[in-house]
Amino acid sequence: MTKSKPWLSLGGIGVFAVLLLGVAPLVLTDHWLNNLGKYCCWAIVAVGIGLAWGRGGMLVMGQGVFFALGAYAMAMHLTLETAGDRTPTFMVLYDPLAPLPAFWEPFRSPVVTLLAIVVLPVVLAGILGFALFKRRVKGAYFAILTQALAVALATLVSSTIRETGGDTGLSSFKYFFGFLLNDPANKAMVFLITAALLIVCLLVVWQLYRSRFGELLVATRDAEERVRFLGYDPANIKLVAFVVSALMASIGGAMFVPIVGIITPAEIGAAASILMIAGVALGGRASLFGPALGAMAVGWGQSSLGSTWPEGWTYILGLLFIVVILVLPKGLSSLPARFAAARRRPGEQRAAAPAAAPELAEVKA
């Protein structure tokens, strides 16, 4: 990698920021701006998955767990903000005299809600990651365990109808920290916040990729035992990436709620987690922009094709995932490099081998 490439990526983030924060609000209708905000939420999750899976080699198939922590924390606050001093409507329907559950009370505070969105995924991911990585659980076992947690959480939420709304979920939000959600100006504000958070996540990952930690993370992915022999603990390196990924998933879930207006177990289960993974694989899990752009593309496909052909969209997504893994294992982000390699003349490739020979001889000497 050349020294100029990191700064080229930083320039790409700047262009992306201008498009999202400057151009999109001016040229898109309210409907499409809201849809783009939803895609940005998935892109935030995908950036974290790219860090954990693309650079760390951890196939995190249970990001729906951390997405749910942020989403339900935000939804509970918005529900209480809408209800005011009254008990939320869905609880009254089941038991008019039932008091508000004790674990709902802290979410009346905006500060507690924002802290929960950050602290809960960090604590849970820290405990889970420490337990798994210290025991050297990895590969398919790690993927199955994380996905099982997503399935278990979705099942738990579905069964707690009086506390979380069950399969119906939480919806009908009127306010977002005091701002009316029906106001187009406030909807645009929520979009700008979400887009800005996506840019911040890209900047964080960009910095991690070019840091010493980023080098250790890739080394742990490719040669974990060598990293251990050099005196580093691969478990701690993986743990940091896993926690950062979980935090980004929680942030994406939190912003998903005011934009979409509803959160249900369908958005946090195994299918939703696989949808997040598919977007990352499509864009290119090891690149900086690939996960975000792939997640946006899959989100657009779900909104467009999923609404007109809901039964066929699942098959299309599965076929797309298989084709990408077989033909483009590094995702669409690898296409420019492939085209550049294909355009090289055979003579240049033959000349490259003799030129490299003296350098190899010096290394061996």
Side-chain angles (χ1 to χ4, degrees), residues 66 119-133 239 242-243 246:
F66 307 109
V119 174
L120 288 179
V122 170
V123 172
L124 179 60
I127 295 173
L128 178 63
F130 184 84
L132 295 179
F133 299 139
L239 182 61
F242 185 58
V243 169

Side-chain angles (χ1 to χ4, degrees), residues 2 21 29 72 80 134-136 143 203 209 225 228 231 240 242 260 264 275 291 299 311 315 339 357 365:
T2 63
L21 300 175
T29 63
Y72 273 91
L80 293 174
K134 288 297 182 179
R135 287 168 175 77
R136 302 186 185 184
L203 287 172
Y209 282 179
E225 292 301 323
R228 184 175 288 107
V240 173
F242 185 58
V260 179
T264 67
L275 185 69
E311 297 180 356
Y315 296 103
F339 287 146

